[in-house]
Amino acid sequence: PCRLLILISGNGSNLQALIDACADGRVDGQIIGVISNVPDAFGLQRAARAGIVTAVVDHRQFENRSAFDQALLATMQSFDADLIVLAGFMRILGDNLVNAYSGRMLNIHPSLLPRYPGLKTHQKALANGDKEHGVTIHFVTAELDGGPLIAQARCPILPEDDEASLAKKVHELEHQLYPLVVQWFASDRLHCQNNQAFLDKQLLMEPVQC
Ligand code: GAR
């Protein structure tokens, strides 16, 4: 199985989706560790409950971003991971760390990238009067939310939607999409080369719509 190391900052519902998918065989993976930058992230309890090793690298304990990055990288390297999975990890990672896992780090982002990189994506989609919203999974590069896109899933925005209802819809999409894409990587179908994503050796000119 593919050795997965998952980074979280919060609730960890995507972590849970991956725990469940590894347990029932939808993902040929083993979660070898969970790292959080937030000591009381609920996702750490989910990991512990599943018998997964956890570690905390609290960004507030470091003088600056590069010191945090160095400590985080050291902790990550203490696990022998095949794939790093960012699952609601809310810190920006430095070039050094990102380059250490080039082509081996995925992120999930709650918007239809390249729309709305950064924070408050549901709010932005509503404010813009978008008719559609969704989720994107991409390879992580040094450019924030800017790495090669892999897959997207969409939902309509209805007149009655607000941030909470959109967040709920997006989460449901995420919990389906992340295990699927992680399995593509685990089964050696998904690659990243020269800043481009490939599925079954085909260059993805656009993210796969799921
Ligand atoms: C998810 O919606 C994920 O897309 C988002 O954080 C949430 C984490 O939920 N990630 C980002 O915004 C990354 N910048 P979870 O902790 O329940 O998995």
Side-chain angles (χ1 to χ4, degrees):
C2 186
R3 294 168 59 85
L4 309 173
L5 178 59
I6 303 190
L7 272 56
I8 63 165
S9 299
N11 179 32
S13 70
N14 281 285
L15 164 65
Q16 188 67 56
L18 290 164
I19 291 172
D20 296 346
C22 289
D24 69 19
R26 277 176 293 141
V27 170
D28 182 20
Q30 183 193 359
I31 302 173
I32 57 168
V34 170
I35 303 176
S36 173
N37 67 304
V38 176
D40 62 355
F42 181 65
L44 289 169
Q45 293 184 42
R46 297 181 188 268
R49 195 166 56 193
I52 299 166
V53 177
T54 63
V56 171
V57 183
D58 182 349
H59 59 279
R60 293 168 307 182
Q61 306 290 322
F62 298 89
E63 290 245 304
N64 51 48
R65 177 129 43 106
S66 102
F68 167 69
D69 258 47
Q70 228 178 331
L72 178 60
L73 180 57
T75 302
M76 290 167 72
Q77 285 171 335
S78 73
F79 296 89
D80 182 22
D82 297 316
L83 179 67
I84 310 300
V85 181
L86 305 185
F89 186 72
M90 302 306 282
R91 303 303 294 177
I92 294 174
L93 298 172
D95 294 12
N96 251 352
L97 189 151
V98 167
N99 292 335
Y101 291 100
S102 166
R104 295 195 295 140
M105 196 182 320
L106 300 178
N107 183 43
I108 190 160
H109 184 78
S111 78
L112 297 170
L113 290 173
R115 285 193 155 198
Y116 316 132
L119 300 175
K120 305 201 170 180
T121 58
H122 311 315
Q123 193 180 307
K124 289 173 185 165
L126 285 168
N128 264 312
D130 291 359
K131 296 277 172 279
E132 223 183 14
H133 191 42
V135 52
T136 305
I137 294 169
H138 63 93
F139 281 109
V140 176
T141 63
E143 189 190 343
L144 178 66
D145 299 328
L149 306 185
I150 300 165
Q152 292 183 326
R154 298 165 183 264
C155 58
I157 299 183
L158 304 175
E160 62 267 29
D161 272 320
D162 57 14
E163 272 182 63
S165 68
L166 275 191
K168 183 161 180 283
K169 288 189 201 179
V170 165
H171 264 115
E172 279 163 15
L173 296 174
E174 290 184 329
H175 301 159
Q176 298 297 318
L177 193 61
Y178 223 173
L180 187 74
V181 172
V182 169
Q183 174 57 14
W184 290 348
F185 188 93
S187 57
D188 213 27
R189 297 178 57 196
L190 178 65
H191 300 96
C192 184
Q193 243 157 36
N194 303 325
N195 221 29
Q196 294 176 312
F198 295 82
L199 182 62
D200 297 327
K201 308 227 155 69
Q202 293 264 43
L203 172 63
L204 295 178
M205 307 290 288
E206 280 172 8
V208 180
Q209 302 300 319
C210 297

